[in-house]
Amino acid sequence: METKTLGSLYIDGEPVIPGTAFKYDGAEICLGSTVLGKELEWIEWNGLLVANRCACVAISWQELDDHGYIFGWPVSIDGKPYLCRSLKVGTEKTRRNEWNSIIAKLGNSDDLWHWKGKFFWGQETPKISPTVRVVRGFASARESNYANVNNRSTTVGFRPVLDPLSPIPQSLNRWVGKRICVYGPEKTILEGRLEDADDYDLALKMDEPLPNKCSWAVKKDGVITISRENIAWMKKSSVF
């Protein structure tokens, strides 16, 4: 099976070797441009890129969710945008889900997926408890188990998935008057109606107050001004 080398994992701005332990509170993680010797490897499936091993271990589900990497956050790797998230792994190992479909099509070899001795977090919350999440791997590719959302262990890690995104269009004239979602620094998403845009800034009409941690946008008279250099990605909202 052919693997693709792309991107590196960064902890507090420093690239790390895949499989590094995430050891301390308050650290920032992200996926970014490729660093020689610290590259991540991926397998392509249904247009997605699935990491062939855990990018890091000893990180909790809650920490990944706080960083946006459970359900998806935009990243830029070598100048191209992707949505980075965790796999959908199901609440029962026999039910259809992304991970089961992947190994059914591409095979479940440890030489390919490096699951032996390592669980990885999935998106789902099982019915047994709201404080646990599903993990897969460790004893076999199909193994399914549970771990507390705050569990940190070198046997549980983050297997990222990359979904290629369309680049932000330079001209947003066709989006004016539409509701959009803007992904910015500090893992903040702003949603509102696009009032105006040029090469440098955009103006967003939003009735709600800015989140307390949002220091990258300015609101005046209900209109938010956002510098385009602070925008990680944006998309049209599903509701207009």
Side-chain angles (χ1 to χ4, degrees), residues 33-184:
S33 293
T34 309
V35 175
L36 188 64
K38 297 176 180 177
E39 307 97 326
L40 295 168
E41 294 183 343
W42 312 84
I43 309 294
E44 188 170 2
W45 174 80
N46 277 11
L48 301 175
L49 294 175
V50 183
N52 71 344
R53 68 187 70 217
C54 289
C56 67
V57 296
I59 187 168
S60 72
W61 188 98
Q62 189 59 62
E63 286 167 326
L64 286 173
D65 192 37
D66 291 342
H67 282 85
Y69 296 138
I70 292 295
F71 302 106
W73 191 261
V75 298
S76 178
I77 300 177
D78 299 338
K80 295 183 178 180
Y82 301 87
L83 191 73
C84 178
R85 63 174 175 84
S86 299
L87 279 165
K88 299 173 184 176
V89 300
T91 54
E92 298 178 24
K93 62 183 176 182
T94 57
R95 293 286 182 90
R96 184 178 178 84
N97 55 69
E98 283 183 335
W99 179 240
N100 284 0
S101 297
I102 288 167
I103 59 178
K105 182 176 181 180
L106 302 180
N108 59 12
S109 168
D110 179 62
D111 291 335
L112 179 63
W113 295 112
H114 304 94
W115 44 258
K116 189 174 293 184
K118 292 287 186 294
F119 287 112
F120 66 89
W121 294 108
Q123 291 187 5
E124 290 87 344
T125 302
K127 293 180 180 179
I128 61 167
S129 171
T131 63
V132 301
R133 299 294 184 269
V134 181
V135 292
R136 301 293 299 268
F138 193 83
S140 74
R142 292 193 175 276
E143 179 69 19
S144 182
N145 213 317
Y146 309 120
N148 186 277
V149 292
N150 294 311
N151 177 283
R152 277 186 183 177
S153 169
T154 55
T155 61
V156 185
F158 172 40
R159 185 189 294 272
V161 179
L162 295 179
D163 188 357
L165 297 173
S166 298
I168 300 171
Q170 186 61 34
S171 174
L172 295 172
N173 291 339
R174 294 184 179 180
W175 289 18
V176 172
K178 306 292 187 181
R179 287 189 65 82
I180 64 171
C181 293
V182 178
Y183 294 72

Side-chain angles (χ1 to χ4, degrees), residues 214-226:
C214 184
S215 60
W216 50 276
V218 178
K219 186 174 184 179
K220 183 178 180 180
D221 299 328
V223 176
I224 298 168
T225 302
I226 303 170

